[in-house]
Amino acid sequence: MPRIAVIPGDGIGTEVTRQAVKVMERAAALSGRTLEVTHWDMGAERYLRTGVAITEAEFRALAEDYDAILLGALGDPRVADDAHLREILLGLRFRLDLYVNYRPNVLLDPRLSPLRNLDGRPVRVDIFRENTEGAYVNLGGIFRKDTPDEVAIQEDLNTRRGVERIVRAAFEYARMRGRPRVTMVDKANALPAAGSLWRRVFTEVGAGYPEIEQDAMFVDAAAMDLVRRPERFAVVVTSNLFGDILSDLAAAVTGGLGLAPSANVHPGRHALFEPVHGSAPDIAGRGVANPLAAIRCVALLFEYLGDPGLAERVENAAVAAIAGGKTTPDLGGSLTTDQVGDWVAAALAAAPPRSS
Ligand code: ATP
């Protein structure tokens, strides 16, 4: 029986996770599957109360005792620099070595795109963001702080091993899903050392996937094309920082943060699923948070657990909610977070996977 650790977290994280768990349990029940779901109290409240974000024993338990982790969102204005977020989320990413950050951006309904010249062209941009190095390793420091001569250095770390494994993950995914092209995004003209490594590794690894089209783009050009002609992308592989930025842009182009799920994975070992959005303190507690990103995380989770039929059922029910206008105000609907969750859970029975 798959064991799932659920960390609702902060702000709207708790609200959307409640809906995701509801949908997850209902979907499992419909197909006769049992899940063991355990809730973890981790977030700003606990950090402010105890001064501890996550213990060593909890890291170990999350690493060893669960098949997958479902996270809502972390972040609270009362915690300086979101210290608890860094400890928990970045801690899990680095310690479980979750080197693949997979962010699918699918235009589920043409009405959701802010682009006015798409003319019904389908958009699906699967972003593979390197998740354990790049500009996020926090190498560097500040010198002569608060003086006119202050210096800040922030290194961008790229290893052959790190680049190779994310590039391979992107190609493997493209092959498995029959995606036509993998695009590598860098800034090789201005940042030639990192760019040179990424380009050489991309060519080397890509040689093993001759059936897949392969191209490289500068990140500024990629940003422009995500707006101008997003349909030219299939799979995108890129560094931690560029992936962070481009995936928010790709999410905006395909319906906004309220819909975008993500998976942090070490293939074959560990996986953590979370919506791309944060804890959104500005709308927390008002019942208006869109739960569909968190619900779509459940689809990714089922896929990872080896149940594509269940994944499809959840995704189909989310798509049906959008098509029927059963949405929160960010998508133009008038339902509350709970009502959308209830609607999707009820729609699961009527949204069987195409494959069954
Ligand atoms: P961070 O990215 O640093 O965690 P944050 O928590 O302040 O930032 P996000 O949660 O990423 O912000 O979202 C930015 C804005 O997008 C929010 O202020 C909110 O208005 C909107 N938003 C984000 N997620 C949702 C959602 N699920 N439903 C509706 N609106 C959302």
Side-chain angles (χ1 to χ4, degrees), residues 12 16 74 257-258 276-283 288-291 328 330:
I12 66 167
V16 297
L74 291 162
L257 283 178
V276 170
H277 65 72
S279 59
D282 58 328
I283 58 166
V288 295
N290 186 346
T328 42
D330 57 306

Side-chain angles (χ1 to χ4, degrees), residues 58-66 69 92 96 269-270:
E58 286 170 330
F59 265 127
R60 244 196 329 273
L62 285 170
E64 292 166 13
D65 302 344
Y66 292 91
I69 303 170
L92 286 168
L96 303 187
R269 282 202 212 157
H270 301 291

Side-chain angles (χ1 to χ4, degrees), residues 53-262:
I54 179 168
T55 65
E56 207 40 51
E58 286 170 330
F59 265 127
R60 244 196 329 273
L62 285 170
E64 292 166 13
D65 302 344
Y66 292 91
D67 297 293
I69 303 170
L70 182 65
L71 173 78
L74 291 162
D76 190 302
R78 296 170 299 168
V79 179
D81 298 331
D82 277 330
H84 68 305
L85 178 153
R86 273 210 305 281
E87 265 188 65
I88 300 168
L89 185 55
L90 300 191
L92 286 168
R93 276 187 193 163
F94 283 101
R95 295 179 62 155
L96 303 187
D97 199 24
L98 305 171
Y99 65 89
V100 177
N101 192 312
Y102 166 60
R103 298 182 166 195
N105 298 278
V106 193
L107 185 57
L108 296 173
D109 185 310
R111 290 169 300 175
L112 293 177
S113 181
L115 304 178
R116 62 183 154 79
N117 57 353
L118 267 182
D119 299 328
R121 283 168 293 167
V123 178
R124 176 171 189 125
V125 188
D126 288 304
I127 297 187
F128 279 72
R129 165 187 174 189
E130 201 295 319
N131 213 25
T132 50
E133 43 186 58
Y136 284 64
V137 292
N138 201 18
L139 274 179
I142 289 182
F143 182 50
R144 301 196 188 109
K145 193 167 181 201
D146 290 330
T147 72
D149 300 317
E150 182 162 350
V151 177
I153 294 178
Q154 196 83 61
E155 296 294 351
D156 177 23
L157 180 109
N158 298 267
T159 68
R160 174 174 276 273
R161 188 169 156 273
V163 176
E164 201 200 304
R165 63 186 187 172
I166 188 69
V167 168
R168 192 172 298 286
F171 275 114
E172 278 298 307
Y173 173 88
R175 175 172 280 172
M176 234 166 52
R177 300 302 173 88
R179 306 285 282 136
R181 175 189 292 156
V182 176
T183 302
M184 195 274 294
V185 174
D186 64 15
K187 187 66 185 165
N189 49 352
L191 307 170
S196 162
L197 176 64
W198 275 82
R199 285 188 182 221
R200 279 179 287 123
V201 170
F202 184 66
T203 306
E204 282 165 29
V205 174
Y209 301 83
E211 80 280 16
I212 298 169
E213 272 180 60
Q214 318 181 3
D215 61 353
M217 286 182 90
F218 297 141
V219 65
D220 42 349
M224 195 166 63
D225 269 0
L226 273 172
V227 173
R228 213 166 46 159
R229 41 180 194 139
E231 72 283 358
R232 61 99 52 218
F233 294 101
V235 175
V236 170
V237 62
T238 189
S239 66
N240 211 336
L241 181 60
F242 295 153
D244 184 28
I245 300 165
L246 290 183
S247 57
D248 268 26
L249 177 55
V253 163
T254 52
L257 283 178
L259 285 179
S262 80

